[in-house]
Amino acid sequence: MPKLYRSVIDDVINEVRELFLDEGVDEQVLMELRTLWENKLMQSKAVEGFHTEEQQALQAQQQQQAQQVQQSQQQTQTQHQVILPPQQQAPQQQVIVQDPKILQAMNATGMSFLQSAAATAATLALPTGVGPYQQLITSQGQILQVVRAANGAQYIIQPQQQVVLQQQVLPQMQPGVQAPVIQQVLTPLQGGIPQQTGVIIQPQQIVLAGNKVQQNAQVMQTATMTTQPGQVSAAQVQAQSQQQQQPQQQQQQQPAQQQPPMMLQVDGAGDTSSEEDEEEEDEYDEDEDEDKDKDGGEDGQVEEEPLNSSDDVSDEEDQELFDTENVVVCQYDKIHRSKNKWKFTLKDGIMNLNGRDYVFSKAIGDAEW
Amino acid sequence: MAYQLYRNTTLGNSLQESLDELIQTQQITPQLALQVLLQFDKAINTALANRVRNRVNFRGSLNTYRFCDNVWTFVLNDVEFREVTDLVKVDKVKIVACDGKNTGSGAAE
């Protein structure tokens, strides 16, 4: 079945080559598309044995080298260990950042570096069922946490507290995609933050700058979001209005929040209620009106118990975030029912069960309702 | 036009994510991405019809069923999927099935 996927990829890439050329898009972009596609497939672990031999050898080599580096901090690494431009990227378990200058150079390539390089490197070292989480080891031996949400956005958290990076993740709108949503507050950085999306890496700090920086720097990372354009703008509007209402409150929170390394929030997308609760206690008088409008609904619900708590039709949509939704996508030949006995005759299907992919040309099933 | 049904699969989603990344970095236009997806639809439909030749059986209990716009959606519980080689058990599975006769005008997913 990996062969099937490979052949589909080949077909698609070959067929669209012409389309790309018609639009004047470089062949290199086509190759990048292919690489991104294949990498994501590999990372998903839904397909076994998908690696080419070459990539397997590369992986084995890198695993060895990564282990060596862990023991001694200042080894000279080969080029494999440095973050490569997207086309050459192979999956790595750890990304070793050797020289701050390299990082600054990488900044010049813009966010695409982070997306494709770190993103494709990120997820191999994960425990199953946990959101993507990767460690960057700097040449000084600092261990930084890189968190990658499934939508491709990157966050780097530094344990030492010169700067704490946090960003607000826009809720992931696609069904079936598991994205831990992290809400964060960005502390002000030295000087102005340039109005660009990029990674600025300086010897001891790593800063992620979005392109909508305001004075108190609640930054939204908009350019790297992979949600649909319509949904991005809706979420932007929401986030922007939140930004405007909380400028003062953000500053007061920053000293407190600089301490702990950022924890992955898994319980609810775009949740802001904890922040608002804190703020309310401190400054209830000041922004009474705005907070009331925003929090009235939320607080009312939480304190009085959700009004739907005694409903008999259970809402199963919020099952554990990291469960695979087992899905079968196919075509039906015949669906038959007698009383409550159903018979299914299906064809040409792709199944994702317990995280793994299967295909069938025919499927026959029985069920009782 | 082939069914867009298969876009929400590992293969399809990884393609969509990759395309989205390229759009964000403005390396391709959304229009081009759409064309790629349409091409993907054709390719996957053809591949499934021609290159796959295995049978699967399954049994479980039906939790819900829906038939709308000629698309069946089922949710089954405690299901066993059986192929000659192996057996897979799941607590819950959602089956989305488009009409298999003369794939017609290609329902959107």
Side-chain angles (χ1 to χ4, degrees):
Chain A
M1 197 222 3
K3 289 191 210 148
L4 176 75
Y5 282 13
R6 282 221 172 269
S7 73
V8 171
I9 296 180
D10 287 338
D11 280 348
V12 173
I13 296 291
N14 288 329
E15 292 292 326
V16 303
R17 177 166 285 123
E18 221 180 286
L19 290 171
F20 269 56
L21 294 179
D22 283 347
E23 286 236 353
V25 179
D26 196 44
E27 168 91 9
Q28 217 184 5
V29 179
L30 184 65
M31 285 303 113
E32 190 175 338
L33 172 65
R34 187 192 183 117
T35 309
L36 284 171
W37 193 2
E38 289 183 343
N39 287 340
K40 285 184 203 287
L41 273 177
M42 274 191 279
Q43 284 163 23
S44 80
K45 291 189 194 174
V47 189
E48 249 184 59
F50 194 70
H51 312 79
T52 61
E53 283 181 13
E54 178 191 308
Q55 283 163 337
Q56 271 173 339
L58 204 57
Q59 261 185 344
Q61 196 185 23
Q62 286 170 353
Q63 282 174 13
Q64 284 177 3
Q65 290 177 347
Q67 284 164 7
Q68 288 172 6
V69 167
Q70 262 181 334
Q71 291 157 8
S72 73
Q73 292 180 359
Q74 282 176 352
Q75 284 184 358
T76 322
Q77 297 299 325
T78 64
Q79 269 300 308
H80 288 120
Q81 300 294 337
V82 178
I83 297 175
L84 302 172
Q87 291 86 356
Q88 301 163 24
Q89 183 65 15
Q92 303 174 6
Q93 285 191 347
Q94 286 187 336
V95 174
I96 293 105
V97 169
Q98 218 182 354
D99 185 353
K101 289 182 197 162
I102 295 180
L103 303 178
Q104 284 174 341
M106 292 190 298
N107 171 46
T109 66
M111 281 311 287
S112 63
F113 140 68
L114 248 199
Q115 281 173 1
S116 42
T120 55
T123 60
L124 286 185
L126 312 175
T128 33
V130 175
Y133 199 65
Q134 183 200 9
Q135 290 181 336
L136 269 177
I137 301 180
T138 66
S139 57
Q140 285 100 0
Q142 292 177 1
I143 297 184
L144 312 169
Q145 310 295 329
V146 175
V147 175
R148 170 184 175 254
N151 61 6
Q154 310 290 327
Y155 310 89
I156 300 185
I157 299 122
Q158 188 177 18
Q160 286 149 8
Q161 264 65 37
Q162 281 178 334
V163 174
V164 172
L165 313 171
Q166 295 162 328
Q167 284 192 347
Q168 186 170 20
V169 174
L170 304 175
Q172 176 63 277
M173 300 294 185
Q174 296 170 5
V177 175
Q178 302 126 10
V181 176
I182 304 158
Q183 178 171 37
Q184 303 163 332
V185 170
L186 189 70
T187 60
L189 312 162
Q190 70 277 17
I193 300 170
Q195 289 272 337
Q196 65 177 3
T197 323
V199 176
I200 304 160
I201 301 170
Q202 285 146 12
Q204 293 185 355
Q205 298 171 349
I206 295 190
V207 170
L208 269 175
N211 61 358
K212 301 225 173 155
V213 177
Q214 297 184 356
Q215 288 168 1
N216 295 323
Q218 181 169 16
V219 173
M220 290 190 317
Q221 183 179 25
T222 58
T224 60
M225 288 300 162
T226 58
T227 52
Q228 304 301 323
Q231 292 155 345
V232 166
S233 55
Q236 278 180 3
V237 167
Q238 286 175 18
Q240 275 179 346
S241 62
Q242 282 177 1
Q243 280 186 12
Q244 285 153 9
Q245 287 168 5
Q246 297 178 357
Q248 296 166 347
Q249 298 146 354
Q250 292 303 334
Q251 274 205 326
Q252 296 188 4
Q253 284 187 3
Q254 286 156 1
Q257 285 194 354
Q258 274 180 358
Q259 293 313 315
M262 193 57 196
M263 298 305 291
L264 212 59
Q265 175 174 345
V266 303
D267 56 341
D271 184 31
T272 59
S273 62
S274 61
E275 276 186 10
E276 289 156 4
D277 283 343
E278 280 177 51
E279 292 152 14
E280 271 194 65
E281 286 159 24
D282 289 338
E283 303 173 337
Y284 190 71
D285 294 333
E286 283 192 26
D287 296 273
E288 205 173 338
D289 288 336
E290 295 169 1
D291 283 345
K292 255 198 212 161
D293 283 348
K294 231 182 337 155
D295 298 340
E298 275 181 285
D299 280 356
Q301 247 195 341
V302 168
E303 282 158 27
E304 297 165 4
E305 247 192 72
L307 292 175
N308 66 348
S309 60
S310 55
D311 283 358
D312 61 346
V313 178
S314 67
D315 176 11
E316 288 190 36
E317 291 183 20
D318 296 337
Q319 277 182 357
E320 305 151 34
L321 272 183
F322 298 109
D323 257 359
T324 314
E325 158 105 19
N326 303 304
V327 177
V328 177
V329 199
C330 59
Q331 300 174 27
Y332 59 87
D333 276 332
K334 261 195 215 117
I335 304 290
H336 171 82
R337 177 195 64 82
S338 264
K339 301 244 168 105
N340 72 336
K341 307 276 184 273
W342 290 71
K343 292 196 198 299
F344 314 92
T345 313
L346 310 169
K347 70 176 190 184
D348 296 344
I350 299 182
M351 312 194 280
N352 185 278
L353 305 171
N354 298 327
R356 303 258 308 262
D357 268 11
Y358 305 86
V359 292
F360 62 81
S361 62
K362 271 182 75 104
I364 298 189
D366 286 278
E368 239 179 74
W369 179 73
Chain B
M1 196 166 98
Y3 280 134
Q4 300 184 3
L5 175 67
Y6 301 101
R7 291 191 190 181
N8 186 24
T9 56
T10 313
L11 196 58
N13 281 324
S14 47
L15 177 59
Q16 292 192 76
E17 286 172 20
S18 307
L19 287 170
D20 281 340
E21 286 179 27
L22 292 181
I23 293 177
Q24 293 293 346
T25 59
Q26 306 204 327
Q27 287 170 277
I28 63 176
T29 62
Q31 180 61 21
L32 183 58
L34 181 61
Q35 296 297 319
V36 176
L37 283 171
L38 292 173
Q39 193 59 46
F40 168 78
D41 295 331
K42 281 192 215 155
I44 190 69
N45 273 279
T46 313
L48 283 173
N50 298 334
R51 288 196 212 118
V52 184
R53 283 275 171 266
N54 59 325
R55 252 177 79 136
V56 165
N57 288 311
F58 62 96
R59 179 179 297 278
S61 48
L62 186 61
N63 187 313
T64 63
Y65 55 88
R66 175 187 300 136
F67 184 60
C68 181
D69 290 334
N70 278 314
V71 178
W72 275 105
T73 306
F74 304 103
V75 175
L76 279 73
N77 291 118
D78 301 324
V79 197
E80 286 186 6
F81 289 85
R82 226 172 264 273
E83 203 167 347
V84 176
T85 42
D86 41 27
L87 168 69
V88 180
K89 290 197 204 187
V90 297
D91 290 338
K92 175 181 168 200
V93 65
K94 175 190 274 195
I95 301 182
V96 180
C98 288
D99 195 343
K101 299 154 219 164
N102 319 324
T103 57
S105 54
E109 57 182 358

